[in-house]
Every structure is written in C-alpha cells, then in structure tokens.
Amino acid sequence: MQTSRSYLLASIVLALVTQFGITGFKSKVKDVISARIETDKKHDIRKIKSMIFLTLSDSEIMNGYEVEDYIGSHAQGVILDVTKSKQHFVAKVIIDTNAELSFCKREKVVEELNSKRISYVTSLRDYQEYTGKSTNPQVFSCVLIFDKPDDTITSLKLFKDNDNKGKIENSKKLFIFFGKLIQAFTEINLKNQVLHGNITPDSIMVKFNQTDKNSAQELEPVVSDFCYSLKNEKFEFIPDKLFRYSDNFRPPEMIEKTKAKATTSNENKNQSQKKHKEKDKDKDKDKEKKQKQKELEKNWDKNWEKYQYSNQFVEDVYALGKTIQEVLKIQSDFIKESLCEIQSLRAIIKLMLQDKEMVDSLSKPENYTKGRMNMRQITVEFIGKVNDCDSSHTNTIYQLFIKQATGSINSFRIPFILI
C-alpha cells in the first residue's frame, strides 16, 4: 500500500514539475505581465490576455524557456523577454483570428528568409503552433522564438553624445545603418519576392557590431514583424483582402482606395455640420470625424477590392521612407542636420515618398511612367550618395557598404521593367 502511495505521489509531483517547466512562469513575472497588458495603451489586448497565458502555459515550445519580462505588445499579442541556458531571446506570441493561422504563417516567412541568407533579417530559432480545441474560448495561436536585438532604433539611449563631434559620428552611423536597411528590403522585396507590409520604427531593431577592440561600434539593422507580409513570386499587381501598414506609414494610394464616396445626402450633412461648426467647432470636428469613419467602414469592401499591391513592392518603399523620416525626427537632438549624410538621407526620403508608379494594364515597358522607385533603384541612388559624402574614398566603412550593397543588387535578376 505504501509503495502504491509513493508511486502515486511521485506521479503527481512529476506532473506538477512538467506543468511548471512548460509554463516557464515565475508568479511575480506573471503578475507583472498581467498588469502591463492591462495598462498597455499601444494595443488594447486585454480581451486576449487569457488566450496569451493559455498559449504560454500549454504550448510545448516554452519547455526550457523562462519568461523574464514583458517587452511590449503588437496587434495580435505580446512580445516577451525569455531565457534559455542563461541566453536571452525574444518570444512573440500571436493570437490568430482562425484555424488557418494566417498571421502565424506569414510571420514564419522569416524562416525562409533566413535559409536564403537575406541580409539583416531577424533570426527565427523556434516556432510552434498551438490550438486549444478543448478550451473556452477556443484558441488559435503560435509562439515564435527570435534572437534578441540590442536596442530599438528609436531609443534615446542609442546615442550618448550630442556635442558637435558626437552629432557628426551619430549622423554617419545612422546614414550607413539606413543604407544597410534599404539593402535588406531590396533583398526581401526583389530577391525573395516578399512585401513586408508593416514597416514602422517598431519593426526595425538594432544590433551592435564591433570588429575589434580598437574599432568604433557600428549599428546593424534587424528587420522583424512579418505577420502582414505578402508573397508575390510573379511580380504581378495583386489584390489582397488584408489591409496593411500602420497609420502614418500607409501609402496614400492605399488610403485613397478606402475613402468613402460622398453622396448627395452626405453633402447635405456636411453643409449642416459646417453650420454647427460655427457654434461649437470642437464638438462638430469630432462629429465629422466619426461620420467619415462610419462612411469608411460602410464602403470598406467595395472600395478596398479595387486596390492592387504593386508588382514593384513600392508600398514598402513608402513605409520605409516614412520610417526613416520618423527616426530622424526622434533622434534630432543627436544628429547634425547640415552634414552631407543627413542631407543625403533627406534626399533619399523624398524619392521614397514620391507618387506610386503608373503602368498600363498590360504592363508594357514602352507605357511605363516613372514614379516612386523600387528598393533596388533606391539602393543604387543611395550608393551614389555614399560616394558623394566620401569623395576621397577613404572611409573604409562607407566603401565596405558600397561593395556589399553593389554585390547584393547584382546577385539576383528581376524583370527588366523594374530596373
């Protein structure tokens, strides 16, 4: 009898150990994460908090990983700092919308990019899909484990010095950083035929690189967040139901396709609203904004189905241009605006924010009208800017970038209309 009880007790202990081993949660950390989810203003993910914890506690991938801290949120879940064998990683939890796990599968394109050695893309270490079929609510999710970057590109701690000498150094580092980033998206778009679909400063991380003790610390980009990606293997103009990019980083041609068309009744409403505006401007502005939002939602499907993503992936070009512009604004206290490198970045941004290209329905080369450049063209322009800022060709970091970027754009072939 005693032996049977001992075996039973051992089985219970083993089950508990296994459960807590998979969970990887310290109760204090779980409380912190729970509190952070409740107060996270960036994305309202409180409704999916139980699904996040269920995924973390039940998915086998967490076996061996220890959850250390809450890094932040994204539209579909959370990003956590986790450790394994004292090494830090990033765990991204995605609560998907259905059993298709489409957001998870799009994010997993990183695995393909890694296998093809696409430059400066985050490294996917582990991946597992989770379906809690017996749970209430039903859960469709996944956990992805990535290498942990060193910092964010918007961090105000990224640069320490903002005296004249410091600003010059910082500006040069950012200049080549963005050159490498443009090179990365050239390979993502045109070498691997993938539209990123959600480029913002949040999707660009930083890795510190130092070749030796005597050399200066360089910044390398780390591209992440591919859950809105779109594969376009045939370089075609293609429609897609998913509305991509964040506000302020979304190309204007996409916004135009979702605007509601004003009707006569709407015009009458607008006239009425203008009269009210004279009495109470703030109240009427709010009302007008809500009206526009209602009209946009009402006509969403009808308008959005007309849009076709570019065969040249120029939506990513615009979003990256806005991202660079935003980072320069955030880091303005640490850069020297009059420097060749920053002026060159401003010129590149202008090219990236041009109107979308115009091509006739048959995509005939003779009917091609130049508009917003694709990433390869932007890379070529950027190489020219690097040469302008290093006319003596004595800056080894600049010349190394030129060599690598030139090798990159010459390493693959794309339809001649894109060149």
Side-chain angles (χ1 to χ4, degrees):
M1 177 67 74
Q2 187 67 32
T3 304
S4 298
R5 286 179 179 175
S6 297
Y7 277 123
L8 179 60
L9 181 61
S11 299
I12 293 171
V13 170
L14 179 62
L16 288 172
V17 169
T18 302
Q19 181 182 350
F20 284 107
I22 292 173
T23 303
F25 269 128
K26 299 170 185 174
S27 59
K28 190 181 290 186
V29 175
K30 186 174 181 179
D31 291 342
V32 169
I33 292 172
S34 181
R36 293 286 297 278
I37 288 174
E38 289 294 328
T39 57
D40 195 320
K41 295 179 181 179
K42 197 162 193 178
H43 302 98
D44 188 5
I45 53 172
R46 290 172 293 178
K47 294 178 182 178
I48 59 173
K49 184 170 76 171
S50 61
M51 298 181 187
I52 291 168
F53 284 130
L54 187 62
T55 301
L56 288 170
S57 62
D58 278 11
S59 58
E60 293 178 5
I61 194 174
M62 294 307 296
N63 187 20
Y65 287 99
E66 186 97 13
V67 179
E68 299 290 343
D69 200 3
Y70 180 92
I71 295 176
S73 65
H74 55 92
Q76 286 77 38
V78 296
I79 305 168
L80 305 171
D81 177 20
V82 299
T83 55
K84 185 175 186 179
S85 302
K86 297 183 179 180
Q87 187 176 355
H88 284 264
F89 298 92
V90 171
K92 185 171 185 178
V93 182
I94 296 176
I95 306 302
D96 224 312
T97 53
N98 50 49
E100 302 288 315
L101 294 171
S102 53
F103 280 99
C104 290
K105 286 181 169 63
R106 280 191 290 267
E107 184 77 67
K108 199 171 180 278
V109 75
V110 173
E111 188 174 55
E112 179 185 326
L113 297 174
N114 290 163
S115 67
K116 293 186 178 179
R117 297 184 179 181
I118 301 300
S119 301
Y120 310 116
V121 171
T122 185
S123 296
L124 180 63
R125 295 296 177 182
D126 216 342
Y127 172 85
Q128 185 187 355
E129 295 174 357
Y130 172 76
T131 307
K133 293 181 178 179
S134 61
T135 61
N136 187 21
Q138 197 168 15
V139 180
F140 306 107
S141 60
C142 63
V143 180
L144 303 98
I145 307 293
F146 298 102
D147 282 348
K148 188 176 182 182
D150 295 313
D151 210 337
T152 64
I153 191 57
T154 55
S155 172
L156 295 178
K157 297 178 181 179
L158 190 62
F159 301 115
K160 296 177 182 178
D161 302 319
N162 65 345
D163 55 9
N164 189 57
K165 183 180 177 182
K167 285 182 177 181
I168 292 173
E169 289 238 345
N170 300 339
S171 299
K172 290 182 176 182
K173 285 182 180 180
L174 271 181
F175 181 54
I176 292 301
F177 176 90
F178 286 126
K180 291 177 179 178
L181 189 58
I182 291 168
Q183 175 193 336
F185 278 105
T186 297
E187 295 180 21
I188 292 167
N189 288 170
L190 303 175
K191 186 175 182 178
N192 211 63
Q193 300 87 50
V194 170
L195 181 85
H196 183 281
N198 194 31
I199 304 172
T200 70
D202 289 339
S203 62
I204 310 301
M205 310 302 287
V206 177
K207 179 182 177 183
F208 299 139
N209 185 31
Q210 193 166 11
T211 53
D212 55 64
K213 292 181 180 180
N214 298 321
S215 63
Q217 191 180 68
E218 295 178 47
L219 307 180
E220 281 195 356
V222 180
V223 183
S224 63
D225 195 13
F226 284 82
C227 59
Y228 282 85
S229 62
L230 175 66
K231 192 79 173 174
N232 187 358
E233 294 177 320
K234 296 182 180 180
F235 292 100
E236 296 176 334
F237 286 90
I238 54 174
D240 191 86
K241 292 181 180 179
L242 190 62
F243 190 49
R244 293 171 167 83
Y245 304 97
S246 300
D247 291 342
N248 301 321
F249 298 91
R250 186 173 291 124
E253 65 268 15
M254 294 178 67
I255 299 170
E256 288 167 8
K257 288 294 182 180
T258 60
K259 283 180 180 176
K261 294 179 180 179
T263 61
T264 305
S265 60
N266 286 337
E267 289 172 2
N268 293 334
K269 286 180 183 178
N270 288 336
Q271 289 175 2
S272 176
Q273 286 175 347
K274 286 179 182 178
K275 291 179 182 179
H276 285 295
K277 191 180 288 185
E278 294 174 1
K279 297 178 181 179
D280 191 344
K281 290 182 179 180
D282 292 336
K283 185 178 179 181
D284 202 57
K285 278 182 181 179
D286 186 54
K287 188 182 290 185
E288 191 175 3
K289 187 177 180 181
K290 288 179 180 179
Q291 176 68 23
K292 285 181 179 179
Q293 184 61 33
K294 283 182 181 179
E295 289 295 328
L296 184 123
E297 291 172 359
K298 182 180 176 182
N299 294 278
W300 177 268
D301 293 336
K302 184 169 62 179
N303 291 324
W304 180 240
E305 67 184 10
K306 299 173 186 176
Y307 186 78
Q308 291 188 323
Y309 285 97
S310 167
N311 66 339
Q312 299 192 47
F313 304 85
V314 297
E315 294 86 2
D316 268 2
V317 176
Y318 182 91
L320 184 57
K322 290 290 285 187
T323 294
I324 298 172
Q325 189 177 64
E326 182 67 16
V327 173
L328 291 183
K329 181 180 177 182
I330 292 169
Q331 300 290 1
S332 60
D333 290 340
F334 297 91
I335 61 177
K336 189 174 179 65
E337 193 65 39
S338 61
L339 206 65
C340 174
E341 284 80 357
I342 300 301
Q343 291 300 304
S344 294
L345 276 175
R346 297 290 182 195
I348 291 294
I349 290 169
K350 190 174 180 179
L351 291 176
M352 298 176 86
L353 300 186
Q354 284 181 337
D355 289 338
K356 184 180 176 181
E357 82 287 354
M358 299 296 293
V359 182
D360 75 345
S361 58
L362 298 176
S363 297
K364 293 181 179 178
E366 59 268 26
N367 292 335
Y368 174 68
T369 305
K370 186 177 180 180
R372 190 183 310 145
M373 296 179 173
N374 62 50
M375 264 334 159
R376 186 183 188 279
Q377 293 167 323
I378 294 294
T379 302
V380 172
E381 292 290 326
F382 196 94
I383 289 171
K385 296 294 184 185
V386 177
N387 272 320
D388 290 343
C389 293
D390 182 34
S391 56
S392 62
H393 296 176
T394 56
N395 188 317
T396 55
I397 293 174
Y398 284 21
Q399 294 307 308
L400 179 60
F401 165 75
I402 290 174
K403 182 180 179 181
Q404 291 174 340
T406 303
S408 174
I409 61 177
N410 291 335
S411 66
F412 58 92
R413 300 179 70 182
I414 53 179
F416 69 91
I417 190 174
L418 305 179
I419 297 175

